[in-house]
Every structure is written in C-alpha cells, then in structure tokens.
C-alpha cells in the first residue's frame, strides 16, 4: 500500500510542476483557466493532507518541519493559500521543482543514489580548487569588463561596467548571445583574447574533476557497498529520521518500533 | 560479385540521402524537379528489389523483417509509395539517414567497428552516472527557468515558463542563440550565475567519460581480438542472422550451409 | 589589532571596486553623484594613508614600491589625483580589480593558496604544449579567416580579413555571437567544418591540463606541507619581504626583529 | 650570417601576412594603396629570390620543389605575378599563412617542436576513434536536421534540409549563432535535446585525447631525447633533405659535405 501511495505522490508532484508551467503559457491559460485552477486546488489539497499526515505520524514534528524536505513540502503547499492574502506570492511556485528531488528516493533508485553520492564526493573533494578557479575567473572578468567598457562605445551595448562584465562572462564561458558585441577593431582584438582564454580555461575545471573522478572511481568497487543507500520515504514516528533500511523494524537512531 | 553489389549499395544509399536534401532546396527543386523525381523512383525501385531479394533469400524472413536493419530498410523504401496515399508521409524520408550506419558494415571497416564498440562499452558503463547528471541538469533548468520567468519581462522574450526553461538550457549548455536574452540587471546577474554553473558542469560528463575510457583503454590490448568483429552483409538464408566471419561456410547459429 | 585592520582593508578594497562600477551606471551616477564622489575620496585617502604607512614602516621602501603589490597599490591610489591633471586617467581605475588578489592573502586562506599554487604548477608544466596549441589555432584562424573572406560577401559581415579572422575565432571557440554569420551555402559548409574542428580541438588543452593535474595530484599528499604557505600582510620593516609565518618573530630573510 | 638571414626571413613572412590583411581593410587600402602595393612587390621579389636561391643551391631541385615547404613557397610567391594574368588569383594569398609554420623551424624552437610532435603522436593514435566519433556526429546531424526541417517553418530560417543540418551542427557544437532559431514549442523541445546531446557528446573526444595524452605522457621522459629534433633550415645541396643536426658536417642521408 505504501508503494501505491508513493506512485500517486510522484504523479501528483509531476502534475503540479506541469501545471505551473502550463499556467504561464498565456494562450493555454486563457482557454483552460478553470480546469487549471481546479487541478491546482486538487494538487494543493493533496499536498496539504500529505503534509499534515506526516506531522501527525511523527512524535517530534519539529524534526520534520525544519528538515530540508519539510521546508520544501511546506513551501510547495502554501502559495495557493497565500495568493489570496499576498500579491506576487506566485514566486514560491518555483519551489515545487525541488520536490522533483524526492522522485529519486521514492523510486528507490538505489543504484542512482549511489552514483550520485559518488559524483558528490568527487565534486566535494575538488571544492577548494574550483573555488580558486571561479575566483580567478571573476577577477579576470572584472578587469577585462572594465577594459572593454573603456574601449568600446555605449552604442555597441557597453553602457556600464556591470554590463561590460556581464558581456565578458558571456564571452569567457563561450555562451556568446550576440546582444552585445564589440564593434571597434581594438574591442574585437581583446574579445578574441578573452575567447581564447575562455577556451583554454575550460580545461581547468575539467582537469580537476576528471582527476578526482579517477581517484574515487578506483575506490569504486570497495565503496559500492557503502553506496547501497537504503531509500525509504517512511520517517520514524518518534524522531523523524528518514533513510531506514527497507527491512528495518526499529529506528536506527532512537530504537523505536517503526 | 558480392563486393561489387556492396559498392553499388553504398552509392545508392548516399545518392538517396543527397536526393532528399536537394529536393528540400526550393530553387534547385523547381529547376530539376523531373530529374530528381526520376532518380527518386530509381532509388526506390532499387531499394524495393534489394528488400524483396533479402526476404526471399532467407528461409525465416520474419527474423530479418523485424530486425533493426530490416525495419530501417522497410521505412526507407515505403515513403514514395505512401506519398500517393497519405499526405505528409515525407517525414519518413528522414529515416534513410539511418541507412548510413550500414556503410560501416559494408565497407568491412573492422578496425572502426572495434573502436566504435569500445567507445560504446565506455559510454554504457558510465550510463547511470550520466543519467544522474542529466536529471540534475534538468531540475536545475526547471528551477532557474521559473526564476527567470518571474524576474524578466515578457518583452525580453521570457513569455512563459517552458520558454524560460528553453532559454536556461540554451545558456547552461553554452549554446547562447541570443534570440532571448535578459534585459534587467537582476536577470543578467542570474544569467551570469547560470553560465558559470554551465561552464563548470560541463566538466562532469567529461570527467566521467574520460575515467571510463582510461579503464577500458588499458584493457584495450587484450580486448583487441574480441573487437575484431567479422563484418559481412550476407545474412544466413536459414535463420537470418548477420555477422558471419568472412571465411565462414556454415552459419554460426543454425549450422546451415551459407 | 592587525586582524581588525585587515578586515577594514578588505572592506575598503571591495567598496572601491563597487564604487567604480556604480559610477559607470549613468542613471545611478546622475542620482547619487555627490555621495559617490565623497566616498571615492574617502577610499582614495584611506589608500593613500595605507600606502604611505607601508613605505614609512619599511627601512628599504624601494623593495616594496617596485614589488608587484607595491605597483598595484600605487596605481589604485593615484587615478583620482590624476583626474584633476590628465583627462582620461580613469583608465587606471580598472587596476583596482587587481587589488582583489590581496583578499586571498589577507583572509589567510592558507588552503586556498596551496591549491592555487598547485593549479599554477600544473599549468606551468603544460606551458609549452599550450603555446604550441594556441600557435596552431592562430595559424588555422588566419587561413580559415582568409578563406571565408574570399568566399563570403561583405554584406554578410565579412568586410575585411581581420574581421573574418575575428569571426573564425568566434566560431572556433564555440562562442558564436551571430553578429557575423555566413549566408552562402559554401560559406556555411566551411563554417560547419570550422565548428567540428573547434569542437574536437577543445579536447587538446583539456587533455594536456588533465594529464598534468593527474601527475601533480598524485604528488599532492607529500606536497601538502609545502603548500602550507604562511600568509601574513605584515612586511618586514627592514627588507620589505612578505610571507612570514604567523608565529614568526624574526624576518626569515634578514633576521631583523619583526 | 645564416642566423641573420633567418631573422630577416621571419620578418618578411610576418610582414607579407600583415600586408594581405591590411589590403583587405577597404578604408586602409584606399588611403595607403601605393605604399601597400610597393611593399607587396618588395615582399614578392624577396620571396622570388629566396625560392630561386634554394633551387640553385640544391643539386636535385625536384626534391625541394615537390616537398611540402617547396610547394607552399611557390604558392606564396606566385599570386602577384598571376594577378596580371588571371583575375581572382588573390585566393592564393591565403596560402601565405602556411608559411608561418616555418617560424617554428627558423626559431630553432627545439622544445616546442618536440612537444608538437608529442601532441601529434597522441592525436594520431586516437585517429580512428575520432573518425568514428565524427561519423556518428554527422549521421546524427543529418537525422536531426531533417527532423527540424519537417517541424519548423521556413520563416524561422529552416528553408531547406542542408540549412537545417547547418543549424543542427551550429547547435550540437554549442556555437549557437542565433541567425536561425526554432520558433515552435516542438522545435524548441528538440533543440533542447540536441543541446544536451551536444553538451554530453563533447565529453567523448576529450576523453579519447586525454587517455592518449596520459599514455604518451608517461613515456614522455624516455621519449624526450627522441623529441630533441635538430632544426635547421639549411637543406642538403645534394639531395635536398632538411632537418640536419646543428653540428652536422655531412648530410645524414647522402653523406655529402654540407
């Protein structure tokens, strides 16, 4: 029965995200406004019941309420109620997308969570190196952006230093919108230098991450067992902890019967 | 003689793909419409004969008809006939491009197929890691896209959330068309964050694939013999299996004389 | 007390960089011109005092004045004074961004400096390889740029060879502004070739840097102690050397009491 | 004396490339047309003398004339003479850029050539893998391009299949000009898929090349001596072979006194 509830939950989460998207498409919203509105209410009521049920089932509700998923669940439920009180509270609808992270857990995608945590470990290990890298990129952007502001005219779109820095990052990351583009020969020359820099610099994070992956990948086989995270949406009714083994009968933290 | 037929087949496949392209160029089609039409018929008839011949030569035709190449051969042959019955069946012409995959086999590019299968193995091994990565990228795109929809005005092109998500992916993958571009300072700031994220995130799949290549590359020398795939377009007349050794006299599956 | 001064210094450096940015935003400058002007003077006076104090405290001031940080400190202080004498001396304001490099040292981010120097070592080791790579990219750009100039019309934006080379680099580095884009079929075909080249070529610097990182990363554990750079903004009053250990009582170079 | 000549040669080669660029800038050409024309003649005469001198100095001139550098030297010399006979022979001026490759040899950049040959070896070793990769990318582009042609309207720029394929490659390589961009929701969805594909696919060549670099880099120390190419522009007067050791007195091929 718990499995059936999980599947319905996934469906409602996906539905709620799709609803938010469809409401933003003007033509679609005008045609089917009432249907969308009704479905939005159904989703919200479902979320409300789920949220209250979770609180009731747990002896120490605060541990759930202030957990990461607890806050996201609350924020995904509240917007429709708030829209009657506060204008512009639609902003919170975006929070629902975070709920998609639950799908991993619900689907009991053990293997995927293992891989994800392995990726996470590698990224964590290269944290300081990447921070240094981003800091250098930002300083480079500030210097190059200021330089371009001084060289290029406002007609080409370089109206202020922040805008010039925005253009520099657009160029350095090889995105290249083209809404702002250098017109003078000097500006184009410096743009060329920035591009080749960006082209070369992209090698640095790749190199860092690859080396970390290689390190953690070799440990992979031994670590495989550790990665076997037991996914389970049922939280302990006593202390609210999640992540119990599927065959657990007692909470691994407080020993209470599940 | 089989070799001569293979070369003609390659030529006709390439010709058929070029024909589809040329027909789509309006000026070219208006000038040489009759020539193109005639050649299209010649190609279709050639494909029809080849398809029927293959079915006749094989004792169990169903094994060929429902194989990957069997379906593609059928779909590349049928569109011209269908165009007299169903409007818009031209869509199927695109299927012909898949036929290009045959060229590998026909040209007996043993070495290339070996390399391809090696690449395939490495990509297969990093499948779950890449799936996790793409899932995270998609959730990130949904969240960032919704955020940008709320910040930016419709005048800048952010008319709906799906469109905003489209813009986010364009930015995150460093494509950057520039048909939609943020106008407000806040929007440009978030765009900058997305770009640097995308710039750093690109390191992840590269790292994953490189590590897998390194693992499989080291096994490369031992695996070389295994990679020596024997390519041969002749399918067994009894069971329809392909991939016989060039010096095979009996089908490796059913033992029938080839 | 030294720590308090360091924190104020970081704040003033960040403030001065933000001020330069805000002054460039026309609407903002018109509204708050007087406030910005006053603050600019406060920052400049603070920098002047700091600069003079540093010179006074050191017995051999020349060693500080002609050091990297000495020159940057001087260039960040002077522009406002110069603006009364020389027009266009605002250019020097961009120099202030270099001061941001000080923040690393001030914050005593030992670990980060260690990582940075490790990155630096890896990049240094792959210097010649990258130089060869950039040289080949440049020659390729000149050849392809000239070719595109001859093929494409000036209407499409290919008005001169330097401009065509600019376009080639924009394409080769996958930036792709779209301000200049090929219109003819032949031009689009060559553009396609350049793109795939650029797509493949990006692999080269990444490969170089990754291999170097892997080499230096494996030495990482032994090198960790060496990387423990002791950061300290206090320069020896006798010889002006920086980089003393936090617990140092004598200058490591001249033995003078700190 | 040979060294002095080499330096002049480098200068003239660079000058000739700069001249071709400047001539293409209309405003510059109109102002200084006579100066540019005179200098172009000086460069051409210098190249002519050098070319004839090389032929005279070698006993078997054909070995030089039909060598890679011999052909480039000829093609860089001839355009100005041809311009009196054949219209549009300016195309050959682009060939001059290849002469820049000589600079490596002239500058006796032993180390750089060593690195370049190492890079070359690694790229050569991954040749078949990269060929397979490009072949798959091209087939993917043809299929996706045809699909987009059928989905998107000609108003969005998808006027023919070749043009759609051009757009697909622009997107897949993350260049993204934006001169052609999908307008329909369906088209934007497929564009998104292509982008994420391209984003992931970029990992493949990087992985291939990195692994090859790692293999050849580890052999690097032993190979260092081999890489010590002796660069020398003097070709043997007897057999025309280049690449003698700097301290060579006899040709390494024919034994003739140099």
């Amino acid at each position: 029965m718990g499995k059936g509830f999980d599947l319905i939950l996934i469906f409602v989460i996906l539905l709620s995200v799709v609803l938010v998207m469809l409401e933003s498409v003007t033509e679609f919203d005008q045609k089917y406004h009432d249907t969308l509105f009704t479905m939005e209410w159904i989703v919200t009521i479902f979320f409300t019941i789920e949220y209250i049920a979770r609180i009731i089932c747990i002896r120490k509700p605060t541990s759930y309420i202030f957990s990461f998923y607890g806050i996201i669940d609350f924020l995904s439920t509240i917007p429709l109620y708030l829209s009657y009180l506060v204008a512009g509270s639609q902003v919170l609808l975006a929070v629902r997308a975070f709920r998609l992270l639950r799908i991993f857990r619900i689907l009991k995608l053990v293997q995927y969570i293992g891989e994800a945590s392995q990726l996470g470990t590698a990224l964590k290990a290269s944290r300081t190196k990447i921070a240094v890298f981003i800091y250098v990129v930002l300083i480079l952007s500030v210097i190059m952006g200021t330089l371009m502001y001084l060289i290029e005219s406002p007609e080409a779109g370089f109206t202020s230093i922040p805008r010039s820095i925005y253009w520099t990052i657009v160029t350095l990351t090889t995105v290249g919108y083209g809404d702002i583009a250098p017109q003078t020969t000097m500006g184009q020359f410096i743009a060329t230098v920035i591009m080749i820099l960006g082209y070369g610099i992209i090698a640095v994070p790749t190199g860092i991450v690859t080396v970390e992956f290689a390190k953690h990948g070799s440990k992979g086989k031994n670590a495989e067992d550790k990665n076997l995270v037991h996914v389970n949406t049922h939280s302990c009714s006593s202390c609210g902890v999640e992540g119990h083994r599927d065959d657990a009968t007692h909470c691994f933290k407080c020993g209470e019967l599940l």
Side-chain angles (χ1 to χ4, degrees), chain A:
Chain A
M1 206 196 78
K3 210 172 180 179
F5 174 78
D6 282 351
L7 286 174
I8 293 170
L9 189 57
I10 290 177
F11 176 75
V12 177
I13 291 175
L14 284 175
L15 181 72
S16 77
V17 172
V18 170
L19 275 179
V20 174
M21 285 189 195
L22 289 180
E23 277 169 39
S24 75
V25 185
T26 325
E27 310 101 64
F28 198 91
D29 189 46
Q30 283 174 337
K31 265 195 194 162
Y32 307 100
H33 187 266
D34 292 341
T35 321
L36 288 172
F37 190 72
T38 315
M39 287 176 84
E40 185 65 50
W41 265 113
I42 293 169
V43 166
T44 300
I45 288 164
F46 184 92
F47 281 178
T48 312
I49 292 167
E50 188 217 349
Y51 186 69
I52 292 167
R54 276 186 192 273
I55 290 175
I56 290 169
C57 292
I58 298 169
R59 240 168 276 179
K60 288 186 192 166
T62 47
S63 63
Y64 164 69
I65 291 171
F66 297 108
S67 71
F68 176 67
Y69 281 117
I71 291 166
I72 284 170
D73 285 356
F74 179 74
L75 291 174
S76 342
T77 313
I78 210 74
L80 200 58
Y81 299 115
L82 270 180
S83 64
Y84 287 94
L85 305 169
V86 192
S89 57
Q90 261 201 316
V91 181
L92 285 170
L93 286 172
V95 173
R96 286 210 186 145
F98 281 109
R99 278 211 145 206
L100 292 169
L101 289 170
R102 281 236 156 186
I103 290 174
F104 263 143
R105 311 207 76 197
I106 293 168
L107 286 175
K108 301 193 199 296
L109 297 165
V110 181
Q111 198 189 357
Y112 286 81
I113 291 189
E115 299 282 11
S117 79
Q118 209 173 321
L119 288 185
T121 311
L123 286 176
K124 226 174 193 169
S126 46
R127 207 177 24 188
T128 46
K129 275 204 190 72
I130 285 175
V132 168
F133 170 72
I134 288 177
Y135 189 74
V136 170
V137 165
L138 286 180
I139 291 182
L140 208 74
S141 303
V142 171
I143 294 169
M144 287 299 196
T146 315
L147 207 68
M148 284 303 282
Y149 170 71
L150 297 165
I151 289 168
E152 282 287 331
S153 61
E155 283 80 39
F158 297 84
T159 50
S160 68
I161 291 179
R163 227 177 133 79
S164 282
I165 292 170
Y166 162 72
W167 172 86
T168 309
I169 291 173
V170 167
T171 302
L172 202 64
T173 55
T174 76
V175 171
Y177 286 130
D179 52 344
I180 311 170
Q183 302 294 334
T184 64
T185 308
M186 193 62 200
Q188 290 184 342
F189 178 74
I190 290 173
T192 301
V193 172
I194 295 172
M195 278 169 224
I196 289 176
L197 258 174
Y199 198 56
I201 278 176
I202 213 171
V204 175
T206 306
I208 295 166
V209 172
T210 304
V211 170
E212 285 304 327
F213 277 173
K215 272 188 207 160
H216 295 269
S218 55
K219 290 181 213 155
K221 275 172 197 170
N222 312 327
E224 218 154 277
D225 296 321
K226 289 185 204 165
N227 286 333
L228 259 170
V229 180
H230 288 268
V231 281
N232 204 300
T233 47
H234 300 287
S235 48
C236 172
S237 59
S238 164
C239 64
V241 160
E242 287 192 33
H244 301 288
R245 294 172 60 104
D246 283 340
D247 53 354
T249 52
H250 289 266
C251 172
F252 68 88
K253 203 178 164 196
C254 63
E256 201 68 22
L257 213 77
L258 289 171

